[in-house]
PDB file of all heavy atoms in Angstrom:
ATOM      1  N   LEU A  10      60.368  15.811  27.186  1.00 97.00           N
ATOM      2  CA  LEU A  10      59.041  15.194  27.145  1.00 97.00           C
ATOM      3  C   LEU A  10      57.964  16.236  26.829  1.00 97.00           C
ATOM      4  O   LEU A  10      56.774  15.976  26.953  1.00 97.00           O
ATOM      5  CB  LEU A  10      58.727  14.513  28.486  1.00 97.00           C
ATOM      6  CG  LEU A  10      59.576  13.288  28.825  1.00 97.00           C
ATOM      7  CD1 LEU A  10      59.194  12.739  30.199  1.00 97.00           C
ATOM      8  CD2 LEU A  10      59.406  12.201  27.764  1.00 97.00           C
ATOM      9  N   GLN A  12      57.160  18.860  28.442  1.00 96.00           N
ATOM     10  CA  GLN A  12      56.349  19.166  29.619  1.00 96.00           C
ATOM     11  C   GLN A  12      56.208  20.675  29.859  1.00 96.00           C
ATOM     12  O   GLN A  12      57.174  21.360  30.218  1.00 96.00           O
ATOM     13  CB  GLN A  12      56.935  18.480  30.860  1.00 96.00           C
ATOM     14  CG  GLN A  12      56.721  16.964  30.820  1.00 96.00           C
ATOM     15  CD  GLN A  12      57.237  16.261  32.056  1.00 96.00           C
ATOM     16  OE1 GLN A  12      58.090  16.768  32.780  1.00 96.00           O
ATOM     17  NE2 GLN A  12      56.739  15.062  32.300  1.00 96.00           N
ATOM     18  N   LEU A  15      50.003  23.181  32.781  1.00 98.00           N
ATOM     19  CA  LEU A  15      49.018  24.272  32.836  1.00 98.00           C
ATOM     20  C   LEU A  15      48.915  24.790  34.262  1.00 98.00           C
ATOM     21  O   LEU A  15      48.774  24.008  35.196  1.00 98.00           O
ATOM     22  CB  LEU A  15      47.661  23.726  32.418  1.00 98.00           C
ATOM     23  CG  LEU A  15      47.062  24.137  31.090  1.00 98.00           C
ATOM     24  CD1 LEU A  15      45.705  23.464  30.909  1.00 98.00           C
ATOM     25  CD2 LEU A  15      46.934  25.635  30.967  1.00 98.00           C
ATOM     26  N   GLY A  38      49.078  12.374  28.103  1.00 98.00           N
ATOM     27  CA  GLY A  38      49.982  13.245  28.857  1.00 98.00           C
ATOM     28  C   GLY A  38      49.315  14.033  29.959  1.00 98.00           C
ATOM     29  O   GLY A  38      49.318  15.265  29.933  1.00 98.00           O
ATOM     30  N   GLU A  61      50.458   8.245  30.295  1.00 98.00           N
ATOM     31  CA  GLU A  61      51.543   9.177  30.629  1.00 98.00           C
ATOM     32  C   GLU A  61      52.880   8.432  30.536  1.00 98.00           C
ATOM     33  O   GLU A  61      53.035   7.337  31.073  1.00 98.00           O
ATOM     34  CB  GLU A  61      51.307   9.731  32.047  1.00 98.00           C
ATOM     35  CG  GLU A  61      52.432  10.573  32.616  1.00 98.00           C
ATOM     36  CD  GLU A  61      52.794  11.791  31.761  1.00 98.00           C
ATOM     37  OE1 GLU A  61      51.949  12.682  31.576  1.00 98.00           O
ATOM     38  OE2 GLU A  61      53.942  11.828  31.273  1.00 98.00           O
ATOM     39  N   ASP A  85      53.986   5.036  26.317  1.00 98.00           N
ATOM     40  CA  ASP A  85      54.165   5.995  25.231  1.00 98.00           C
ATOM     41  C   ASP A  85      52.949   5.907  24.316  1.00 98.00           C
ATOM     42  O   ASP A  85      52.716   4.851  23.705  1.00 98.00           O
ATOM     43  CB  ASP A  85      55.454   5.628  24.477  1.00 98.00           C
ATOM     44  CG  ASP A  85      55.746   6.562  23.319  1.00 98.00           C
ATOM     45  OD1 ASP A  85      54.846   7.342  22.921  1.00 98.00           O
ATOM     46  OD2 ASP A  85      56.870   6.508  22.799  1.00 98.00           O
ATOM     47  N   PHE A  86      52.197   6.980  24.228  1.00 98.00           N
ATOM     48  CA  PHE A  86      50.997   6.965  23.382  1.00 98.00           C
ATOM     49  C   PHE A  86      51.328   6.513  21.968  1.00 98.00           C
ATOM     50  O   PHE A  86      50.581   5.765  21.340  1.00 98.00           O
ATOM     51  CB  PHE A  86      50.345   8.358  23.337  1.00 98.00           C
ATOM     52  CG  PHE A  86      49.253   8.459  22.297  1.00 98.00           C
ATOM     53  CD1 PHE A  86      48.031   7.830  22.481  1.00 98.00           C
ATOM     54  CD2 PHE A  86      49.464   9.162  21.121  1.00 98.00           C
ATOM     55  CE1 PHE A  86      47.034   7.897  21.514  1.00 98.00           C
ATOM     56  CE2 PHE A  86      48.473   9.231  20.140  1.00 98.00           C
ATOM     57  CZ  PHE A  86      47.257   8.607  20.344  1.00 98.00           C
ATOM     58  N   ASN A 104      46.272  18.362  26.985  1.00 98.00           N
ATOM     59  CA  ASN A 104      47.161  19.476  26.713  1.00 98.00           C
ATOM     60  C   ASN A 104      48.400  18.740  26.242  1.00 98.00           C
ATOM     61  O   ASN A 104      49.193  18.275  27.031  1.00 98.00           O
ATOM     62  CB  ASN A 104      47.388  20.287  27.991  1.00 98.00           C
ATOM     63  CG  ASN A 104      48.578  21.215  27.863  1.00 98.00           C
ATOM     64  OD1 ASN A 104      48.945  21.597  26.756  1.00 98.00           O
ATOM     65  ND2 ASN A 104      49.198  21.558  28.985  1.00 98.00           N
TER      66      ASN A 104
HETATM   67  N1  SAH B   1      48.277  17.772  30.747  1.00 70.03           N
HETATM   68  C1  SAH B   1      49.287  18.301  31.651  1.00 70.03           C
HETATM   69  C2  SAH B   1      50.718  18.129  31.101  1.00 70.03           C
HETATM   70  C3  SAH B   1      50.969  18.734  29.730  1.00 70.03           C
HETATM   71  S1  SAH B   1      52.664  18.601  29.264  1.00 70.03           S
HETATM   72  C4  SAH B   1      49.010  19.765  31.933  1.00 70.03           C
HETATM   73  O1  SAH B   1      48.204  20.367  31.226  1.00 70.03           O
HETATM   74  O2  SAH B   1      49.594  20.318  32.847  1.00 70.03           O
HETATM   75  C5  SAH B   1      52.634  17.161  28.209  1.00 70.03           C
HETATM   76  C6  SAH B   1      52.583  15.837  28.978  1.00 70.03           C
HETATM   77  O3  SAH B   1      52.688  14.765  28.023  1.00 70.03           O
HETATM   78  C7  SAH B   1      53.699  15.612  29.967  1.00 70.03           C
HETATM   79  O4  SAH B   1      53.167  15.165  31.177  1.00 70.03           O
HETATM   80  C8  SAH B   1      54.596  14.547  29.315  1.00 70.03           C
HETATM   81  O5  SAH B   1      55.269  13.725  30.252  1.00 70.03           O
HETATM   82  C9  SAH B   1      53.559  13.752  28.527  1.00 70.03           C
HETATM   83  N2  SAH B   1      54.095  13.005  27.391  1.00 70.03           N
HETATM   84  C10 SAH B   1      55.119  13.355  26.573  1.00 70.03           C
HETATM   85  N3  SAH B   1      55.298  12.442  25.598  1.00 70.03           N
HETATM   86  C11 SAH B   1      54.356  11.471  25.799  1.00 70.03           C
HETATM   87  C12 SAH B   1      54.042  10.249  25.130  1.00 70.03           C
HETATM   88  N4  SAH B   1      54.731   9.853  24.047  1.00 70.03           N
HETATM   89  N5  SAH B   1      53.026   9.484  25.608  1.00 70.03           N
HETATM   90  C13 SAH B   1      52.337   9.882  26.709  1.00 70.03           C
HETATM   91  N6  SAH B   1      52.575  11.034  27.368  1.00 70.03           N
HETATM   92  C14 SAH B   1      53.587  11.819  26.942  1.00 70.03           C
END
Side-chain angles (χ1 to χ4, degrees):
L10 293 178
Q12 289 182 338
L15 251 180
E61 173 58 63
D85 180 347
F86 170 72
N104 164 25

